[in-house]
Amino acid sequence: MIKKLLIVLLLIVFLLAAIILIRTFSFSSRQMQLAATPAPAVSESALDHFLNSISFKTISYGDSARLDSTQFIGFRNYLSDTYPLTHAQLKREIVKGYSLLFTWEGKNKELNPIVLMAHQDVVPIEEGTEKIWSTDPFKGIVKDDFIWGRGSADDKINLIAIMETVEKLLQKGFQPQRSIYLAFGHDEETFGSGAIAMAELLVSRNVKAELVLDEGGMITREKIPGMKGKSVALLGTSEKGAMSLQLEVEQPGGHSAMPADETAIDILARAVSNLRDEKFEARFSLSTKGFVEYLGPEMPFVQKMAFANLWLFRPMVNSMYEQSKEGNAMIRTTLAPTIFNSGVKDNVVPTLATATVNLRLLPGDSSSMVVREVERRINDSRVKVKIKSFVREATAVTLPTSLGYQKVDSAIHLAHGEILSAPFMMIAATDSRYFQEVSENIVKFSPMVDPIGFHGIDERVSLESYQIALWFFEQLISGC
Ligand SMILES: [Zn+2]
């Protein structure tokens, strides 16, 4: 009897191993096989233009009254002086005062146009940190093979690389098959009003774009476990949503010498603690599934096996993701308490306690669904849950089989040899989320390699990144 059982057990193990191995070996590559041409050296003038662009303090403050119009107008004039052919041959419209929308007519009106986006504005230098910078943040300089300065990585590299490429192609007498729009917002870091207005303008003109390309994912050689040293282009195909909820508890207050069993603070603290105790369900969004399908086959054997057999290894893979904050944010809606307010005096039990929780929504989790879930978890009618601000649903997901995605994918393969690419979900937001009515195919990708100091101190991109960016946009535009 025991022997029989053992044989059955062995058979099951054998069968399982066979299924796992067959699935692993048939988990085949989806990478494009294209021969790249080495990128030409960056010309001195192209480098100067990038460095000069950094000197314009096109800063977005939270308060729009602080916007320094002379910097934005100066930057706009700089662009028209630097790229005369572009300004002579493309139509330029100024939208919302400072955003720039260029239209480059294509030869073939039957083809849907494409939209290339970048933003002019940069985040401020946090007060008191100027001294920590190794260079003047608004003086573009080259040091240690990097281009330093605020906006170098976010997002002037894209804006200048696009302008350089268009100007260069115009010099050669090139006209694209499809019409190309260049949409350069001026307040991406705050309100996105420029991008919203440009998107509305295009929708009002019935523009249906084959592709909208904006900043987003990058080329990384460091960040993907198991793939260190390999170049991987991450093409953002969706963005998480965001929402802030206000939790409010009102209870009779009084003297702290005779406290009630439960005070407003107790009730609210328990509510927040209940919310934090239970995580939202872990799930692979369509973008993350794409990431697995495109990168899994390229990974070392053990990871490849796990990704090829998610039906079995899902719990293990989830716990791998959960090991880092970033990984955890990729697989679920997250919730973080960010403001907690109550009480004014040592010996007074307050009547009111409020808290703000900030949520980032996984594609597929709608804000209304998440609010219901928050209420269910709190399960206490004394805690009022209200939407405070900042509601943004997660975006739709761009399919990697779409023509728009494929154009970006082939351009990066043509521009950079030995590169892998994969869809992925953006945790941060970009202006392109306002363009969902303009196109179903929105790709969020900045063709640069592991920039440093994004939104922080010593922001910089490598010279190599700029070279790749220029070559990438040339492949993309000339293939349109
Ligand atoms: Zn940006």
Side-chain angles (χ1 to χ4, degrees), residues 350 410 456:
S410 59

Side-chain angles (χ1 to χ4, degrees), residues 160-169 470 473-474 477:
I160 296 295
I162 291 169
M163 289 304 268
E164 284 292 324
T165 307
V166 171
E167 188 77 6
K168 177 178 170 186
L169 291 173
L470 289 165
F473 282 112
E474 188 161 341
I477 294 173

Side-chain angles (χ1 to χ4, degrees), residues 103-120:
T103 308
W104 192 359
E105 294 292 343
K107 283 184 197 160
N108 188 343
K109 297 278 177 285
E110 304 287 300
L111 296 173
N112 288 336
I114 68 166
V115 182
L116 303 179
M117 297 180 67
H119 60 90
Q120 306 170 52

Side-chain angles (χ1 to χ4, degrees), residues 30-37 114 178 211 213 219 233-235 294 399-423 443 445 447 468-469 471-480:
R30 298 193 181 210
Q31 297 296 319
M32 284 190 172
Q33 299 301 330
L34 294 171
T37 327
I114 68 166
R178 296 166 192 278
L211 164 72
L213 175 67
I219 300 168
L234 296 172
L235 312 186
Y294 279 74
L399 297 176
T401 47
S402 66
L403 183 59
Y405 181 96
Q406 305 244 323
K407 284 206 172 290
V408 178
D409 201 9
S410 59
I412 193 57
H413 277 87
L414 288 170
H416 186 304
E418 304 264 321
I419 197 164
L420 302 166
S421 66
V443 179
F445 174 62
I468 293 169
W471 199 221
F472 164 83
F473 282 112
E474 188 161 341
Q475 305 304 320
L476 181 69
I477 294 173
S478 46
C480 281

Side-chain angles (χ1 to χ4, degrees), residues 71-276:
Q71 297 294 329
F72 283 88
I73 293 166
F75 185 53
R76 181 202 300 165
N77 292 339
Y78 176 72
L79 292 178
S80 67
D81 292 344
T82 310
Y83 305 109
L85 281 178
T86 305
H87 284 75
Q89 297 188 28
L90 275 62
K91 181 173 85 173
R92 188 193 72 182
E93 293 168 273
I94 297 170
V95 181
K96 276 267 163 185
Y98 308 101
S99 286
L100 301 173
L101 179 65
F102 293 88
T103 308
W104 192 359
E105 294 292 343
K107 283 184 197 160
N108 188 343
K109 297 278 177 285
E110 304 287 300
L111 296 173
N112 288 336
I114 68 166
V115 182
L116 303 179
M117 297 180 67
H119 60 90
Q120 306 170 52
D121 60 320
V122 301
V123 292
I125 307 295
E126 209 183 319
E127 236 167 279
T129 64
E130 300 90 342
K131 286 170 255 122
I132 311 175
W133 276 70
S134 314
T135 65
D136 178 343
F138 291 103
K139 187 169 182 289
I141 66 151
V142 176
K143 191 173 78 136
D144 306 330
D145 293 329
F146 275 81
I147 296 160
W148 298 61
R150 174 58 88 226
S152 55
D154 184 17
D155 183 31
K156 284 179 173 159
I157 182 172
N158 283 324
L159 195 153
I160 296 295
I162 291 169
M163 289 304 268
E164 284 292 324
T165 307
V166 171
E167 188 77 6
K168 177 178 170 186
L169 291 173
L170 287 171
Q171 275 164 9
K172 289 189 193 167
F174 173 83
Q175 187 190 4
Q177 289 294 323
R178 296 166 192 278
S179 292
I180 298 178
Y181 294 93
L182 314 178
F184 301 151
H186 71 279
D187 57 354
E188 189 274 344
E189 302 291 1
T190 50
F191 313 102
S193 71
I196 292 170
M198 289 189 290
E200 281 171 357
L201 204 58
L202 293 179
V203 169
S204 75
R205 293 172 187 170
N206 297 317
V207 171
K208 269 285 162 212
E210 200 63 56
L211 164 72
V212 171
L213 175 67
D214 196 7
E215 63 175 340
M218 297 159 199
I219 300 168
T220 181
R221 293 174 186 155
E222 299 163 2
K223 302 217 168 75
I224 299 174
M227 310 214 79
K228 284 220 173 11
K230 289 191 181 177
S231 301
V232 181
L234 296 172
L235 312 186
T237 54
S238 61
E239 281 175 25
K240 286 182 101 171
M243 169 172 66
S244 287
L245 295 178
Q246 167 111 335
L247 313 181
E248 250 179 55
V249 180
E250 226 183 307
Q251 287 288 299
H255 201 286
S256 64
M258 297 166 290
D261 280 349
E262 269 188 311
T263 67
I265 291 182
D266 295 328
I267 294 165
L268 185 64
R270 189 162 308 119
V272 170
S273 159
N274 284 345
L275 283 177
R276 291 286 287 163

Side-chain angles (χ1 to χ4, degrees), residues 251-260 263-264 343 345-352:
Q251 287 288 299
H255 201 286
S256 64
M258 297 166 290
T263 67
K345 203 163 180 290
D346 285 11
N347 59 354
V348 176
V349 175
T351 49
L352 186 69

